Amino acid sequence: MTSDFFILMKSELSLVFIIFLLLILKVSDVFKSNSAFSHFSNVLLVLNFVFGFLFNSEGTLFNGMFYTNSALALEKNILNFGVLVICLQAFDWLKTHKHVAEFYILLLSTLLGMFYMISSGHFLMFYLGLELASIPLAALANFDLEKRKSSEAAMKLILSSAFASGILLFGISLLYGATGSLLFSEMPMLITDSPLQVVSLIFIFTGFAFKLSVVPFHFWTADVYEGAPVAVTSFLSVISKAAMVFVFISILMPLFASAKDLFYLILLLSIVLTISIGNLFAIRQDNIKRFLAFSSIAQVGYVLLGLSSGNSIGISASIYFLMVYLFSNLAAFGVISIVSSQSGKENISDYKGFYTNNKMLSWILAIAMFSLAGIPPTAGFFGKMFLVTAGASKGNFVLVGFAALNMVVSLYYYLRVIKAIFIDKNDEPIASISGSISHHIGLILCFLGIILTGFAGGLYEYIAIAFKL
Amino acid sequence: MNEIGLMHILVISTSLFFIGVYGFLTRRNMISMLMSVELILNAVNLNFVAFNKFLYPGQLSGLFFIIFNIAIAAAEAAVAIAIIINLYRNHRSIDINDATTMKF
């Protein structure tokens, strides 16, 4: 019985172990330099990532509050990998920062919250995980304490996420009144389409939409992404979004199982709005972090398009796309983080003539942009193709055509960055930038991910097998 | 009409919720916005306790939810106020209309 506990919760327990170890090391002041601390933590994260593949089993704990299986283990591995890459890329920024240990501890607490949220079998567990994932994140957004923008971003993040969880909770309380249960395993049987339940489901969907930055609720996204430090922005745009999509798949979709038509209608409206507004606003941005914020809003629209099919093909397509998106976005943010930490420049117009001094970084940024836009040899093409194919299985070809047309629009603004790098002339291009070994490893991992996931067909089949419902 | 029933409590909690939403959207002082969020959370607590007492008296899950909810609301307020203090040090104001360094 006790061994069950340790094996089923092993991803969470290993994270808790790392958090406390880092805390003790910070207090006892073993490491004299920031870089030694970072290297040590990165090694721990590599071990944690490898450990994620071992001893996977299936089962429930605490009367159904916590459950895990191979699909959830796969999702946790994806998140572990993303956090490892972000920490590798944050190395140069953290080298001169006063609070290295706090960065790792807060980041891993957030990840722990996401793990509990993904594995939750009860609304209470889900809510606790959600708050553990969002409160430390606001503290992280404020990590550059003396910068105006950073504290403003943190304020916008915490107020809007508190508001969103208030709405979500109101929905949960109404659902409790209507069904008398909070367990996800009992919930789908109890849900009919009575008006109170429909209202409560719409409240819950609104809470999710806030966290995913689906369009009517996207106002916080761009400001928070621009103001937060680059490492935190990449965490927000990749890891916390991916975790929210995983929870969307495992919790929200079963809840809506008996109100399929309503769910499709809501999704249809939000897909159209999300894709078009994300694209239109991305065109007019000059700050590259803000630009990536709007592009990530548009990408979430495509993920929802895949999920709107409601079958296992759509689910595995969106997991695959999230993986590709993780590689491409982290590659882009890796380049941006080193440029911003060494030259302080964050505008697209500053990237004019970037190719003259930084050949490798330019190519990596260009390939990341191609992958985000969905150009064939890169993995982004296959990700988008699977998503659109899954969306088409519902038979709504107007929606699919609309999404495909929007990809053309998105091509325009992704290519604008590439044009600035390679073609535009600039008298004072950004000087040659040299990153640390850790940063190089992070970039190479992303680069290989973009290229190889496109060609390794087995990966998609592996995901599809894990998510066979 | 003599006893206070489920309907009375639900009317109060729903109005509390919408007062909170209205306050969050119209107040320009960050502390007031935080207080509006607390109103929303308290509306949720009232809902849970009312449902638990009148509809499912044998259960405890609603009550447990409230205990955790209060604790989390406190944690959230602590972090939010720390952030607002830090913002005040940088901006010299806690009016949300002054926090406009970034605009689209």
Side-chain angles (χ1 to χ4, degrees):
Chain A
M1 214 38 227
T2 26
S3 66
D4 250 21
F5 170 77
F6 284 110
I7 286 179
L8 289 177
M9 282 180 82
K10 51 128 194 154
S11 334
E12 287 79 12
L13 289 175
S14 78
L15 271 186
V16 171
F17 174 76
I18 295 176
I19 291 172
F20 277 100
L21 185 65
L22 292 181
L23 196 62
I24 291 167
L25 289 176
K26 156 83 183 165
V27 173
S28 58
D29 214 10
V30 177
F31 293 107
K32 294 299 167 223
S33 72
N34 277 354
S35 36
F37 194 95
S38 293
H39 282 311
F40 181 73
S41 321
N42 289 342
V43 170
L44 282 182
L45 284 175
V46 171
L47 292 179
N48 180 40
F49 174 60
V50 173
F51 186 57
F53 287 96
L54 309 172
F55 314 116
N56 280 321
S57 60
E58 193 171 340
T60 59
L61 284 174
F62 307 121
N63 288 329
M65 277 221 172
F66 180 96
Y67 76 98
T68 185
N69 56 29
S70 60
L72 298 183
L74 174 71
E75 294 175 348
K76 288 175 188 173
N77 287 337
I78 295 175
L79 295 184
N80 264 335
F81 179 77
V83 168
L84 170 66
V85 171
I86 288 172
C87 288
L88 285 173
Q89 290 175 347
F91 181 80
D92 289 277
W93 170 61
L94 287 174
K95 214 157 48 181
T96 52
H97 205 284
K98 268 191 296 188
H99 307 286
V100 197
E102 285 87 341
F103 177 78
Y104 282 100
I105 292 168
L106 286 173
L107 201 70
L108 293 178
S109 316
T110 313
L111 186 64
L112 181 67
M114 284 163 187
F115 281 7
Y116 278 123
M117 187 166 78
I118 290 171
S119 280
S120 62
H122 189 272
F123 262 122
L124 179 55
M125 195 72 179
F126 163 68
Y127 178 60
L128 288 176
L130 184 75
E131 290 299 317
L132 185 56
S134 59
I135 295 175
L137 203 53
L140 273 176
N142 203 351
F143 216 65
D144 281 335
L145 283 173
E146 64 288 346
K147 280 196 183 144
R148 270 174 82 103
K149 273 187 176 180
S150 185
S151 51
E152 197 180 314
M155 179 272 293
K156 284 172 179 163
L157 179 59
I158 187 118
L159 283 182
S160 52
S161 82
F163 185 61
S165 33
I167 291 177
L168 179 77
L169 269 180
F170 197 72
I172 294 174
S173 73
L174 290 182
L175 198 61
Y176 176 65
T179 61
S181 167
L182 287 168
L183 272 174
F184 294 137
S185 52
E186 296 171 356
M187 202 66 100
M189 280 93 82
L190 296 167
I191 289 180
T192 52
D193 48 0
S194 74
L196 182 62
Q197 294 188 355
V198 169
V199 170
S200 67
L201 287 178
I202 289 175
F203 271 114
I204 293 175
F205 182 87
T206 310
F208 271 86
F210 249 110
K211 306 271 172 183
L212 271 175
S213 60
V214 170
V215 153
F217 316 103
H218 67 291
F219 295 104
W220 60 277
T221 318
D223 285 356
V224 173
Y225 281 24
E226 186 186 343
V230 186
V232 182
T233 307
S234 53
F235 186 85
L236 267 169
S237 81
V238 177
I239 308 294
S240 79
K241 212 153 263 186
M244 226 42 221
V245 174
F246 294 152
V247 180
F248 192 95
I249 292 168
S250 60
I251 293 174
L252 201 62
M253 283 173 63
L255 282 186
F256 270 101
S258 55
K260 276 211 168 69
D261 293 337
L262 174 79
F263 188 53
Y264 189 68
L265 187 67
I266 299 175
L267 272 183
L268 184 75
L269 281 175
S270 33
I271 291 165
V272 171
L273 281 175
T274 309
I275 295 181
S276 50
I277 296 207
N279 275 337
L280 288 179
F281 277 84
I283 290 176
R284 58 193 292 267
Q285 303 304 327
D286 191 41
N287 184 298
I288 196 158
K289 278 154 82 184
R290 221 178 161 78
F291 157 79
L292 281 173
F294 280 107
S295 103
S296 82
I297 292 177
Q299 308 275 11
V300 166
Y302 290 107
V303 175
L304 290 184
L305 174 66
L307 290 179
S308 71
S309 69
N311 51 27
S312 57
I313 302 170
I315 291 174
S316 38
S318 22
I319 301 282
Y320 179 78
F321 179 78
L322 278 174
M323 227 155 109
V324 173
Y325 171 72
L326 181 143
F327 287 127
S328 342
N329 231 10
L330 285 185
F333 274 114
V335 176
I336 292 166
S337 78
I338 191 130
V339 171
S340 119
S341 76
Q342 297 202 1
S343 71
K345 291 181 174 165
E346 284 182 356
N347 286 338
I348 295 178
S349 49
D350 293 331
Y351 278 80
K352 283 179 183 166
F354 188 55
Y355 185 65
T356 42
N357 290 331
N358 299 287
K359 301 265 189 296
M360 275 317 291
L361 288 179
S362 305
W363 280 113
I364 289 175
L365 189 55
I367 285 172
M369 289 293 153
F370 276 128
S371 178
L372 283 172
I375 306 280
T378 56
F381 169 72
F382 298 101
K384 283 219 170 113
M385 191 181 77
F386 291 144
L387 279 181
V388 171
T389 320
S393 68
K394 200 82 175 174
N396 192 344
F397 294 108
V398 180
L399 177 65
V400 174
F402 178 78
L405 277 180
N406 263 287
M407 281 182 203
V408 181
V409 178
S410 73
L411 200 59
Y412 166 72
Y413 58 78
Y414 287 122
L415 287 181
R416 205 159 59 96
V417 178
I418 295 173
K419 173 172 167 282
I421 295 173
F422 288 100
I423 299 174
D424 285 350
K425 296 279 178 287
N426 191 353
D427 297 332
E428 296 171 20
I430 295 174
S432 180
I433 284 167
S434 59
S436 57
I437 301 284
S438 303
H439 187 264
H440 283 308
I441 296 172
L443 278 184
I444 288 167
L445 282 177
C446 292
F447 179 75
L448 289 179
I450 295 173
I451 302 294
L452 292 181
T453 38
F455 293 112
L459 197 61
Y460 180 71
E461 277 153 25
Y462 176 67
I463 295 173
I465 289 168
F467 280 88
K468 267 287 176 295
L469 299 176
Chain B
M1 233 19 240
N2 304 327
E3 260 181 51
I4 294 178
L6 180 60
M7 200 49 84
H8 299 86
I9 300 180
L10 285 187
V11 167
I12 289 181
S13 75
T14 311
S15 22
L16 208 57
F17 175 78
F18 283 104
I19 290 169
V21 172
Y22 177 77
F24 184 82
L25 297 176
T26 54
R27 286 302 177 116
R28 299 295 81 186
N29 184 306
M30 288 169 203
I31 305 285
S32 307
M33 290 172 81
L34 204 61
M35 284 159 64
S36 310
V37 172
E38 298 291 318
L39 279 188
I40 296 177
L41 293 180
N42 283 326
V44 172
N45 289 348
L46 258 181
N47 253 352
F48 268 117
V49 99
F51 285 134
N52 214 338
K53 180 165 183 338
F54 288 101
L55 296 181
Y56 315 106
Q59 290 187 11
L60 283 175
S61 43
L63 298 178
F64 273 117
F65 211 109
I66 296 167
I67 297 171
F68 281 98
N69 205 352
I70 292 170
I72 287 177
E76 199 155 40
V79 174
I81 288 174
I83 287 171
I84 292 173
I85 290 173
N86 189 52
L87 185 90
Y88 179 73
R89 288 197 184 126
N90 290 327
H91 284 249
R92 289 286 145 201
S93 158
I94 53 165
D95 193 320
I96 202 117
N97 290 331
D98 293 334
T100 50
T101 322
M102 295 169 286
K103 265 189 180 172
F104 59 102

